[in-house]
Amino acid sequence: MWFYNFGLRVYAWLIRLVSVRHAKAKLWIDGRKDLFGRMARTIDPKARIVWIHVASLGEFEQGRPIIEKIRKEHPEYKILVTFFSPSGYEIRKNYKEADYIFYLPIDTPRNARRFLDVAHPEIAIFVKYEFWLNLLGELRRRRIRTYIVSAIFRRNSIFFRPYGGLWRRALEAFETMFVQNEESKKLLGELGFDNVLIAGDTRFDRVAEIARAARHIDIIERFKGEDRLFVAGSTWGPDEELLIRLMNDNPGVKFVVAPHEMDRERIAHLMESTRGGAVRFTECTPHTVFASKQLLVLDTVGLLASAYGYATWSYIGGGFGVGIHNTLEAATFGLPVAFGPNYHKFKEARDLVALEAARSVSTYEELSEWFVPLRDNEDHLHKTGRIARDYTMRHQGATSIITKTIFH
């Protein structure tokens, strides 16, 4: 355990060191200044607290259906949300459905005690992962009801290594482990845990809610007109090189491309390389004429999920890097999905590929080979889209399973 604690102290020291020049590291440090004082001044010491911890923005979206269901069905509780990463905290620090939102302190034994003293949660919920050993140990010692939701366990993870004893013991803190699949339950069974429930992934509930609440986007509606629309979300450079060729080979199709990062040079290259004309969303007005524009660059945040509602086909970026982004937001609208080759750690992507509702592509030729039949054959297009939509509908319901079990 000393090695774990020493490693965390080194990690915090390194972040402090680089924070002088690294904006995200500075946010990580600044957000934790006087953390316990701010918590003590804010959190009602008499309130019944449900504490939900998420690593970053992706895990927040996974936990969000649970937060909102607790808010709706159990108003007797106040909701505390903590983030580890600035990527989540800075975007969701004003989220209205939580009563208190803070960074999680670095997981030293003293910090774990101080955090739980001030937060005094009645229930603790960890989303997907982040197994902080001191916090979990302290939760267990205090007999605080603790859960993990939407978890996935793989045989190559630390829990199944000879040196993973500390992490295996940490799992004893959980009253119930809600996992996404049968494999995770089986692996935990091999470790002797029988308090495991297959609930599925709350992201299916979240994307269903997003689809139901999809926004009307006048600019996209006018840009699309009577044409069919291809929406590419969270794209990176390698994705965009493929999409440029696809656009230029399909002048009769409109494209919306939402880059993952608003890199000025990449956006300029994307627009200049599109022969059919391009415009940025942020430069559009109610009077913009789109007749001579084939590409709309969605250079703003918060609209991508709703943009899929206008699409006929979709592409998800990130597959030529560390991994693809969210495929479910597109699939829930009944869209065929394509993405790059790095998708295997995402179960929903593997499932969609197996169902032939999605295709992984490594080259432009493979992308075109996937797209052309969907462009030219309406029956094939509708069948593929229906498979994608049915898949997302079949997997909804995790949120209800989790909340009914916790608040039985």
Side-chain angles (χ1 to χ4, degrees), residues 284-324:
C284 295
T285 73
H287 307 291
T288 302
V289 177
F290 297 106
S292 62
K293 308 297 182 185
Q294 185 189 10
L295 167 65
L296 176 64
V297 178
L298 194 60
D299 58 341
T300 187
V301 297
L303 296 181
L304 176 59
S306 295
Y308 287 124
Y310 293 91
T312 306
W313 315 272
S314 65
Y315 180 97
I316 309 300
F320 290 91
V322 297
I324 59 173

Side-chain angles (χ1 to χ4, degrees), residues 62 66 123-129 131 145-153 171 174-182 184-185 188 194-202 397-408:
Q62 217 157 7
I66 298 172
I123 297 169
I125 300 172
F126 290 73
V127 179
K128 195 172 183 178
Y129 52 64
F131 301 93
R145 293 166 56 204
T146 304
Y147 304 88
I148 188 164
V149 301
S150 292
I152 293 181
F153 291 86
L171 296 178
F174 297 116
E175 183 169 313
T176 303
M177 289 182 271
F178 298 94
V179 298
Q180 292 190 27
N181 55 31
E182 181 67 41
S184 295
K185 183 176 182 178
L188 289 168
D194 59 4
N195 57 330
V196 183
L197 185 62
I198 302 173
D201 189 345
T202 53
T399 303
S400 292
I401 293 171
I402 291 166
T403 54
K404 285 178 180 177
T405 303
I406 293 175
F407 297 95
H408 63 278

Side-chain angles (χ1 to χ4, degrees), residues 220-269:
I220 293 181
E221 186 174 272
R222 290 191 295 112
F223 169 76
K224 178 179 183 291
E226 298 299 318
D227 296 312
R228 294 191 292 179
L229 182 67
F230 189 115
V231 173
S234 303
T235 60
W236 295 81
D239 304 302
E240 289 154 13
E241 292 304 317
L242 299 187
L243 292 166
I244 288 168
R245 294 184 63 182
L246 192 68
M247 283 186 274
N248 290 337
D249 283 351
N250 293 273
V253 175
K254 296 270 192 171
F255 285 76
V256 168
V257 176
H260 183 68
E261 293 182 345
M262 302 306 161
D263 181 273
R264 185 174 300 177
E265 291 185 4
R266 265 191 24 227
I267 290 176
H269 170 67

Side-chain angles (χ1 to χ4, degrees), residues 23 27 71 93 110 128-129 149 152 155 158 163 166 175 188 245 268 270 273 303 324 367 389:
L27 289 170
R71 167 67 79 212
K93 60 186 177 183
R110 182 168 181 264
K128 195 172 183 178
Y129 52 64
V149 301
I152 293 181
R155 190 171 293 280
I158 194 169
Y163 50 82
L166 285 174
E175 183 169 313
L188 289 168
R245 294 184 63 182
L270 181 62
S273 302
L303 296 181
I324 59 173
L367 178 62
R389 183 177 57 253

Side-chain angles (χ1 to χ4, degrees), residues 3-16:
F3 186 77
Y4 170 81
N5 290 327
F6 176 75
L8 283 178
R9 292 180 188 279
V10 171
Y11 177 79
W13 178 80
L14 289 173
I15 291 181
R16 189 174 297 278

